[in-house]
Amino acid sequence: MPLLPSAADGQGTAVARALTSASTLCQVEPVGRWFEAFVKRRNRNASASFQELEDKKELSEESEDEELQLEEFPMLKTLDPKDWKNQDHYAVLGLGHVRYKATQRQIKAAHKAMVLKHHPDKRKAAGEPIKEGDNDYFTCITKAYEMLSDPVKRRAFNSVDPTFDNSVPSKSEAKENFFEAFSPVFERNSRWSNKKNVPKLGDMNSSFEDVDAFYSFWYNFDSWREFSYLDEEEKEKAECRDERKWIEKQNRATRAQRKKEEMNRIRTLVDNAYSCDPRIKKFKEEEKAKKEAEKKAKAEAKRKEQEAKEKQRQAELEAARLAKEKEEEEVRQQALLAKKEKDIQKKAIKKERQKLRNSCKIEEINEQIRKEKEEAEARMRQASKNAEKSTGGGGSSSKNWSEDDLQLLIKAVNLFPAGTNSRWEVIANYMNIHSSSGVKRTAKDVIGKAKSLQKLDPHQKDDINRKAFDKFRKEHGVVPQADNATPSERFEGPCTDFTPWTTEEQKLLEQALKTYPVNTPERWEKIAEAVPGRTKKDCMKRYKELVEMVKAKKAAQEQTLNASRARK
């Protein structure tokens, strides 16, 4: 018996003895099996109830061994001792109902019971005939105990257990009752696993983690099953070393082939279960729905982001537009202020002009106009007399030229300058059309009168123009006023300061008239810019001359055509 440790401090037992009337204390050392059990519980941190459970467990194992019921193998006496390798060792010992779950105690107890019953000496004493040597069936009992009592040999036999079902359910069998078809198959194949705590197949309510752990375990299944028991040759029977090596090589190849077939069988089982498992289909649908939801959420987030960017861009555009409108409004207000200031200045200038006009002496101006009128009439009369003398006096060419005819001649000469085709015929025709005297002029009359006008001095030309102006004023009732406005330009005979239009300028003017049509704003300013050296006024005047020339040419052509028709 092992020595017990001494009691710890404070755990001593005090015993009071009533030997005398006075009580005394003495130290007692604890001993015995109950104290030993207490020390064991204390060292293991276990309670008394736990110890009682262990004791009950040991007692139950002993009772199981005592109550082990052996199943008699009916074919025991008919077994061939020479063919012991093909026998069912569990059935021979009467453990067919326990098989690989049998403990070593049960195996020993079963062997003991079989020996007491079937030993040759027992049977011989009972008068049963016994076969000589190893030919008696008791040899099968001995071989069975040898195989099952050795853990290595027992594992080899368990690997090829003849009662084990190696079948794999097909996919068609598992369509309607998946769990009923595959659950017992995985349960019985779990005995080959090197790892303990093999996961169960579960049911329809199993979580994704449990199902994933189950299939991960079986796809990486580590089996201890080996097939050395089925070796056809035993190396112990080899006569030499080379033969023993050859036998080992053949056995290894056979075992590897059978191991490969076993792993293929397990893989087929797992594949069939995975393809038929309704939970996998459910998880895939849930995963698909989850991905679709994530995709929709991502698209929705992207759409919202784009909308936010679009709103921001619209806000920026709106802010820019408002800023631009504000700036334009400020510019417009400034322009209005400038216009108002300009109008005020114009009104002030106009008022000053009005004051200046009112301050002039109207009577003095009228007297001066009257004197100039008399002088102009005198010069005009003198000029008429000189013209009649220069034309030869009488005859058909000495027709009377009124002041209107002279003004019309001057206008026609300006309208149709030198270079015009049939210039003097055109001028004569123009005067015949526009003359109010009714006298028909020929080209010869027009040439003679034009030459006589060229010989006049400048004062006589001024008188002619002024006289024409006075006539216009009388006809239209114009009252003379003292005005500082510039008088309109009039023809003063053959102008000596007029610059004739060159061919290049004429082409530029015609091209500009085509480029800028009538509805073009500021048309004549643009035309003047297109003709270098000419002002807006020059271009307008030249345009009117060209219009008159075209009209006169058409009239002359019509007159010539009518005359030719009359002759015919």
Side-chain angles (χ1 to χ4, degrees):
M1 179 178 178
L3 295 178
L4 297 176
S6 60
D9 295 339
Q11 293 184 355
T13 304
V15 178
R17 294 182 299 173
L19 299 177
T20 62
S21 59
S23 299
T24 59
L25 294 175
C26 62
Q27 297 295 330
V28 179
E29 184 71 20
V31 294
R33 62 188 182 93
W34 299 110
F35 179 71
E36 182 183 3
F38 167 75
V39 172
K40 288 182 180 179
R41 290 197 303 273
R42 185 184 64 185
N43 293 336
R44 296 167 59 185
N45 293 326
S47 61
S49 60
F50 180 78
Q51 183 65 32
E52 292 175 358
L53 290 175
E54 286 191 344
D55 295 341
K56 288 181 180 179
K57 184 177 180 181
E58 293 178 357
L59 292 174
S60 65
E61 288 179 356
E62 294 177 358
S63 63
E64 286 179 2
D65 294 340
E66 294 175 356
E67 296 175 0
L68 178 63
Q69 298 293 332
L70 299 179
E71 293 182 356
E72 186 69 26
F73 186 49
M75 305 296 293
L76 179 60
K77 295 182 180 181
T78 61
L79 292 177
D80 185 5
K82 296 181 180 179
D83 194 23
W84 63 268
K85 198 170 185 178
N86 294 324
Q87 70 182 10
D88 186 355
H89 300 303
Y90 289 110
V92 169
L93 294 181
L95 299 175
H97 61 293
V98 184
R99 304 198 68 78
Y100 71 95
K101 295 180 181 179
T103 63
Q104 288 296 326
R105 284 186 179 183
Q106 291 175 339
I107 293 173
K108 287 180 181 180
H111 178 255
K112 183 178 180 180
M114 296 299 289
V115 168
L116 292 175
K117 184 176 181 180
H118 296 283
H119 196 275
D121 294 340
K122 293 282 186 179
R123 290 187 288 124
K124 186 174 181 181
E128 185 179 343
I130 305 299
K131 293 183 180 180
E132 298 294 335
D134 294 335
N135 294 324
D136 190 70
Y137 71 89
F138 186 75
T139 305
C140 296
I141 297 175
T142 305
K143 288 292 184 181
Y145 180 70
E146 289 178 0
M147 293 298 299
L148 299 181
S149 61
D150 187 350
V152 177
K153 293 180 179 180
R154 183 182 180 186
R155 169 172 281 200
F157 177 72
N158 287 338
S159 297
V160 294
D161 191 346
T163 62
F164 182 76
D165 186 7
N166 288 311
S167 63
V168 176
S170 62
K171 295 181 180 180
S172 58
E173 294 174 359
K175 283 185 177 180
E176 296 181 357
N177 50 355
F178 170 78
F179 296 101
E180 291 78 1
F182 280 95
S183 183
V185 179
F186 281 106
E187 184 69 25
R188 65 173 176 261
N189 280 278
S190 63
R191 62 183 285 190
W192 311 124
S193 176
N194 277 321
K195 299 178 181 179
K196 302 301 179 183
N197 300 323
V198 179
K200 302 295 182 180
L201 179 62
D203 52 18
M204 199 63 190
N205 298 322
S206 299
S207 64
F208 174 79
E209 290 75 12
D210 294 340
V211 176
D212 183 66
F214 174 80
Y215 284 106
S216 298
F217 177 86
W218 282 98
Y219 271 117
N220 299 290
F221 186 69
D222 183 15
S223 175
W224 58 261
R225 193 176 189 185
E226 50 94 10
F227 300 93
S228 60
Y229 189 83
L230 300 178
D231 292 344
E232 296 180 358
E233 301 289 341
E234 296 182 5
K235 64 179 181 179
E236 288 79 5
K237 296 180 180 180
E239 298 180 356
C240 63
R241 181 179 179 183
D242 294 337
E243 185 179 359
R244 187 163 50 253
K245 286 184 177 180
W246 181 85
I247 291 173
E248 289 179 355
K249 183 178 179 181
Q250 293 295 324
N251 291 338
R252 281 197 301 270
T254 306
R255 294 174 192 173
Q257 179 64 27
R258 288 170 177 164
K259 183 71 173 181
K260 183 178 180 181
E261 293 175 356
E262 169 65 10
M263 297 312 297
N264 289 336
R265 184 186 70 83
I266 296 294
R267 185 58 183 254
T268 303
L269 170 64
V270 180
D271 288 341
N272 290 349
Y274 188 85
S275 61
C276 298
D277 196 337
R279 299 170 298 179
I280 299 298
K281 297 178 182 178
K282 182 183 71 172
F283 293 149
K284 287 183 178 180
E285 292 176 358
E286 292 176 354
E287 183 68 18
K288 184 177 180 181
K290 183 179 178 181
K291 287 183 178 180
E292 290 292 334
E294 290 178 354
K295 186 176 180 181
K296 289 181 180 179
K298 189 175 181 180
E300 183 68 18
K302 187 175 181 181
R303 184 183 64 79
K304 290 182 178 180
E305 182 180 359
Q306 290 179 352
E307 289 180 356
K309 289 182 179 180
E310 183 65 19
K311 288 181 180 179
Q312 184 178 0
R313 189 179 70 84
Q314 292 294 338
E316 291 176 355
L317 292 175
E318 184 67 16
R321 185 183 65 81
L322 294 176
K324 186 177 180 181
E325 289 181 356
K326 184 178 180 181
E327 184 179 356
E328 291 176 353
E329 182 65 20
E330 292 177 356
V331 172
R332 190 175 66 81
Q333 293 296 335
Q334 292 178 0
L336 290 175
L337 292 175
K339 185 177 180 182
K340 288 180 180 180
E341 293 178 358
K342 190 174 181 180
D343 292 341
I344 292 171
Q345 292 177 359
K346 284 184 178 181
K347 289 179 180 179
I349 293 172
K350 187 175 181 182
K351 193 176 290 185
E352 291 295 331
R353 284 180 179 176
Q354 189 67 27
K355 290 179 181 179
L356 181 62
R357 289 170 185 169
N358 294 334
S359 63
C360 293
K361 295 179 181 180
I362 299 175
E363 294 180 357
E364 293 178 359
I365 295 173
N366 290 336
E367 183 65 23
Q368 186 178 357
I369 291 173
R370 186 179 60 77
K371 289 180 180 181
E372 290 178 358
K373 179 180 177 182
E374 291 177 355
E375 292 176 359
E377 288 178 354
R379 291 193 190 97
M380 182 60 68
R381 284 193 296 271
Q382 185 65 30
S384 297
K385 291 178 181 179
N386 293 337
E388 289 176 359
K389 290 179 181 180
S390 63
T391 54
S396 61
S397 63
S398 60
K399 295 179 181 178
N400 294 327
W401 287 79
S402 63
E403 294 178 0
D404 294 337
D405 291 342
L406 291 175
Q407 292 297 327
L408 189 59
L409 175 60
I410 293 170
K411 183 178 180 182
V413 170
N414 286 331
L415 287 175
F416 307 106
T420 304
N421 188 20
S422 302
R423 180 190 182 198
W424 297 107
E425 286 79 359
V426 172
I427 292 173
N429 186 33
Y430 178 78
M431 291 188 64
N432 292 334
I433 294 172
H434 296 85
S435 177
S436 59
S437 62
V439 179
K440 300 297 182 180
R441 309 289 183 181
T442 63
K444 186 177 180 181
D445 296 338
V446 171
I447 293 171
K449 192 62 178 177
K451 289 180 178 180
S452 65
L453 290 175
Q454 288 179 357
K455 295 178 181 179
L456 296 177
D457 58 353
H459 295 289
Q460 290 177 346
K461 294 176 182 178
D462 292 339
D463 291 339
I464 294 172
N465 288 333
R466 191 175 292 109
K467 190 173 183 180
F469 174 71
D470 292 339
K471 182 179 179 182
F472 175 79
R473 185 175 57 187
K474 289 178 182 179
E475 292 176 354
H476 294 81
V478 178
V479 179
Q481 294 180 353
D483 194 357
N484 57 355
T486 305
S488 60
E489 295 183 0
R490 301 289 298 249
F491 174 76
E492 299 179 354
C495 57
T496 57
D497 57 346
F498 176 72
T499 305
W501 284 69
T502 62
T503 306
E504 185 65 26
E505 291 176 343
Q506 183 68 26
K507 290 181 179 179
L508 291 175
L509 177 62
E510 293 176 359
Q511 183 62 35
L513 290 171
K514 293 178 182 179
T515 304
Y516 305 107
V518 180
N519 57 354
T520 304
E522 299 180 357
R523 181 192 185 199
W524 289 105
E525 285 79 356
K526 295 180 181 179
I527 292 174
E529 291 176 359
V531 183
R534 295 293 178 176
T535 63
K536 171 185 174 183
K537 190 173 182 181
D538 295 339
C539 294
M540 294 178 69
K541 185 176 179 181
R542 183 61 177 170
Y543 175 72
K544 291 179 180 178
E545 291 175 357
L546 293 174
V547 172
E548 293 294 338
M549 287 171 62
V550 171
K551 289 181 180 179
K553 286 180 182 179
K554 288 183 179 180
Q557 291 175 358
E558 289 179 359
Q559 186 177 4
T560 304
L561 183 61
N562 293 334
S564 62
R565 287 178 180 175
R567 291 174 185 173
K568 291 179 180 180

